[in-house]
Amino acid sequence: MEYTVQKLGRLAGVSTRTLRYYDEIGILKPTRINSSGYRIYGQAEVDRLQQILFYRELGVGLQSIKDIVTAPSFDGTKALREHREKLLEKREQLNELIANVDKTIALTEGGIIMSDKEKFEGFKQKLVDDNEAKYGKEIREKYGDETVNKSNQKMNGMSQEKYDEMTKLAAEVNETLYAAFKTGDPAGELAQKIAVLHRQWLCYSWDSYSKEAHAGLAQMYVDDPRFMAYYDEKQPGAAEFLRDAIFIYTGTK
Amino acid sequence: MEYTVQKLGRLAGVSTRTLRYYDEIGILKPTRINSSGYRIYGQAEVDRLQQILFYRELGVGLQSIKDIVTAPSFDGTKALREHREKLLEKREQLNELIANVDKTIALTEGGIIMSDKEKFEGFKQKLVDDNEAKYGKEIREKYGDETVNKSNQKMNGMSQEKYDEMTKLAAEVNETLYAAFKTGDPAGELAQKIAVLHRQWLCYSWDSYSKEAHAGLAQMYVDDPRFMAYYDEKQPGAAEFLRDAIFIYTGTK
DNA sequence: ATTTACATTTACGTTGCGTAAAGGTGTATA
DNA sequence: TATACACCTTTACGCAACGTAAATGTAAAT
């Protein structure tokens, strides 16, 4: 059976360009060239192409493949072992990349909330990071990446629940805030309820509570434009109102 | 603080070529060009370069990075998520590649021995393969790659022991063969001991033994140049001697 | 005879720079 | 002050493995 470029291409599932390229780099030359200059491939070339594609699927470079298929007694196993090492390294790099991307996504999503958490240092990712920094290398060496990743996921999972509670509470704070804002009275019952809710919300990330810190945070809501933007998004003036309510709650002058 | 290409390059750990390239593709342009045509970078450019390098470390392409760092309110998280998906796909591909390379190494290592096994169809890798083919996909979906790989390793491990026993026995056959060869008598005690050892060795990969098959195999040792090469490596004529001994042992004419 | 399908070669584009080559600038030293 | 030496510039080829035209010739079918 003889094949032209396109026939062989269809047979093997490669483009004609690929076959011409393989001819060009001397990795697979046609049996002969017919009178019109067409490339004609025979059975030997079909077999060889299959070999080439096999190694190509393994991710081996064409130059290495050339060595493998042209040299009569080339040590293919050795080449494959070296190639395997490279692949393992690549996978390690990829794993690190993915982990970093995950961290970055976690850091940036939630945006302002994240900055919030960062300032409070009650940051779940930070915990994971610290854990990583302290034990990551050893644990990875002992139990392999999978274990560590699972552990991190677990930690993220746990924190996730907490985080969801926090978010829920935060939503309640916001809703109540806008309702209280309409009353115009930061000393009123609704406004003071907000202060309590807000305190509860804080305690998810604070180890210990103090009125001074609470008040300081309330002032920061007004001073920091990012928090201003967050609270004032739906209701301009809400940030000041919240601060006033908390000041009254904490007894700040 | 102002920097020239080289200073900034050293600061950030990139080549001057890289900085010029970033200028060329419009991803990081210097603050100004001085009278001599030198590129001068300021603080803003330092910060931006750090951003760029950060995303680059994540494996994001420069064009995407350009979108991220140039657009004021670009959805970086979304871009990262998409990038993450690509990375996960890549890792999957890599996993498959590595698995294939492993298989290939297993198939080719041992060379002639491997062909032997292949013919006998008592092939350990084949078992793994079949297991893979039957349950691999579902198991992988259920328990993840790590579990499957461990399982395969375990299977390989088990077969490894068996394989080691086989190898040991094969070595014994060989040693005895060369000793018996010197006697020149395939019907002698030593030669017949070889036939017994060889039968034991066969039973590691044969489910049932028959004298006919044993004799057929012995004939193949002579007919197949690869087996010839294997047995005749140290002692030309050893393949025929072994066949003769087995013929006598099995009572073949 | 014309269309259609297939063949050819040549050559630029892709990604992210490395690596010259050929030349101008700034500063320290003999 | 000349000169060495470090630093800057632009231009441009090279890399891997083809994709994608463009321009053109050939075989087969209508």
Side-chain angles (χ1 to χ4, degrees), chain A residues 54-59 76-77 80-81 83-84 87-88 90-92 94-95 97-98 100-102 104-105 108-109 143 146-147 149-150, chain B residues 54-59 76-77 80-81 83-84 87-88 90-92 94-95 97-98 100-102 104-105 108-109 143 146-147 149-150:
Chain A
F54 171 73
Y55 284 108
R56 192 183 70 166
E57 271 204 26
L58 297 185
T77 310
L80 278 181
R81 266 184 223 288
H83 184 58
R84 192 189 121 95
L87 290 180
L88 291 179
K90 259 195 189 173
R91 188 168 64 177
E92 260 318 292
L94 258 185
N95 280 334
L97 275 187
I98 291 170
N100 280 334
V101 171
D102 285 348
T104 309
I105 290 175
T108 48
E109 84 184 350
Y143 304 109
E146 208 63 17
T147 313
N149 287 342
K150 269 181 195 161
Chain B
F54 171 73
Y55 284 108
R56 192 184 67 165
E57 272 206 24
L58 297 185
T77 309
L80 277 182
R81 268 184 221 287
H83 183 59
R84 193 189 120 95
L87 290 181
L88 290 179
K90 259 195 189 175
R91 188 169 63 177
E92 260 318 293
L94 259 184
N95 280 335
L97 276 187
I98 291 170
N100 278 336
V101 171
D102 284 348
T104 309
I105 289 176
T108 48
E109 84 183 352
Y143 305 108
E146 208 63 14
T147 312
N149 287 342
K150 271 181 196 161

Side-chain angles (χ1 to χ4, degrees), chain A residues 2-3 21 28 42 53 58 61 67 84 107 125 143 153 168 172 182 184 188 191 208 215 232 237 246 250 253:
Chain A
E2 295 198 323
Y3 302 89
Y21 180 62
L28 179 70
L53 295 182
L58 297 185
D67 293 335
R84 192 189 121 95
L107 279 168
Q125 189 59 50
Y143 304 109
Q153 278 171 19
K168 202 178 162 191
E172 202 178 337
K182 284 177 189 162
S208 63
D232 279 7
I246 291 173
T250 56
K253 58 142 188 134

Side-chain angles (χ1 to χ4, degrees), chain A:
Chain A
M1 186 62 173
E2 295 198 323
Y3 302 89
T4 62
V5 269
Q6 200 159 64
K7 285 186 181 173
L8 181 55
R10 269 201 297 263
L11 179 69
V14 299
S15 73
T16 59
R17 176 69 177 94
T18 299
L19 291 177
R20 293 197 188 93
Y21 180 62
Y22 287 177
D23 183 7
E24 187 186 332
I25 64 172
I27 194 174
L28 179 70
K29 289 193 172 300
T31 322
R32 59 188 177 84
I33 306 286
N34 77 1
S35 58
S36 307
Y38 288 19
R39 291 173 178 80
I40 307 296
Y41 297 89
Q43 187 58 42
E45 284 70 36
V46 175
D47 294 344
R48 183 155 177 172
L49 178 56
Q50 286 181 337
Q51 266 199 70
I52 292 170
L53 295 182
F54 171 73
Y55 284 108
R56 192 183 70 166
E57 271 204 26
L58 297 185
V60 183
L62 291 185
Q63 287 314 311
S64 303
I65 293 179
K66 193 176 177 181
D67 293 335
I68 294 174
V69 296
T70 58
S73 63
F74 184 81
D75 191 346
T77 310
K78 193 183 166 194
L80 278 181
R81 266 184 223 288
E82 289 170 3
H83 184 58
R84 192 189 121 95
E85 286 307 309
K86 286 181 201 158
L87 290 180
L88 291 179
E89 273 180 35
K90 259 195 189 173
R91 188 168 64 177
E92 260 318 292
Q93 282 179 21
L94 258 185
N95 280 334
E96 285 178 24
L97 275 187
I98 291 170
N100 280 334
V101 171
D102 285 348
K103 278 183 198 169
T104 309
I105 290 175
L107 279 168
T108 48
E109 84 184 350
I112 194 164
I113 297 286
M114 200 48 83
S115 304
D116 188 350
K117 288 210 225 163
E118 222 165 17
K119 289 212 171 173
F120 299 159
E121 295 181 2
F123 198 52
K124 73 174 182 182
Q125 189 59 50
K126 199 172 179 309
L127 292 178
V128 174
D129 283 356
D130 289 348
N131 208 1
E132 271 287 311
K134 280 182 196 158
Y135 310 110
K137 211 176 169 186
E138 292 148 36
I139 295 178
R140 279 185 194 274
E141 280 167 9
K142 270 192 189 164
Y143 304 109
D145 285 359
E146 208 63 17
T147 313
V148 177
N149 287 342
K150 269 181 195 161
S151 164
N152 281 354
Q153 278 171 19
K154 206 172 164 187
M155 191 152 197
N156 277 333
M158 293 199 327
S159 299
Q160 190 65 46
E161 289 175 24
K162 227 180 163 184
Y163 183 71
D164 286 343
E165 289 174 34
M166 269 183 77
T167 309
K168 202 178 162 191
L169 195 55
E172 202 178 337
V173 170
N174 284 346
E175 282 175 29
T176 319
L177 174 61
Y178 298 128
F181 183 79
K182 284 177 189 162
T183 70
D185 181 18
E189 199 182 339
L190 210 52
Q192 289 308 301
K193 191 186 165 194
I194 293 169
V196 175
L197 287 174
H198 188 259
R199 177 184 166 158
Q200 289 176 356
W201 177 73
L202 271 184
C203 288
Y204 275 104
S205 45
W206 281 11
D207 287 326
S208 63
Y209 174 85
S210 80
K211 291 191 174 189
E212 290 72 28
H214 195 184
L217 180 65
Q219 182 58 44
M220 202 174 74
Y221 284 166
V222 176
D223 293 338
D224 193 317
R226 289 171 306 180
F227 287 98
M228 273 289 272
Y230 178 66
Y231 280 107
D232 279 7
E233 185 187 26
K234 287 182 184 168
Q235 192 65 60
E240 281 99 332
F241 185 86
L242 178 60
R243 178 200 53 183
D244 293 340
I246 291 173
F247 272 18
I248 291 164
Y249 173 75
T250 56
T252 309
K253 58 142 188 134

Side-chain angles (χ1 to χ4, degrees), chain B residues 169-220:
Chain B
L169 196 54
E172 203 179 336
V173 170
N174 284 346
E175 281 176 31
T176 318
L177 174 59
Y178 299 128
F181 183 79
K182 284 176 190 165
T183 72
D185 180 19
E189 201 183 338
L190 211 52
Q192 290 308 300
K193 191 185 166 194
I194 294 169
V196 175
L197 286 175
H198 188 258
R199 177 184 168 162
Q200 287 176 357
W201 176 73
L202 272 183
C203 288
Y204 275 104
S205 45
W206 280 11
D207 287 327
S208 62
Y209 173 85
S210 79
K211 291 191 175 189
E212 290 71 27
H214 195 181
L217 180 66
Q219 182 58 45
M220 201 175 74

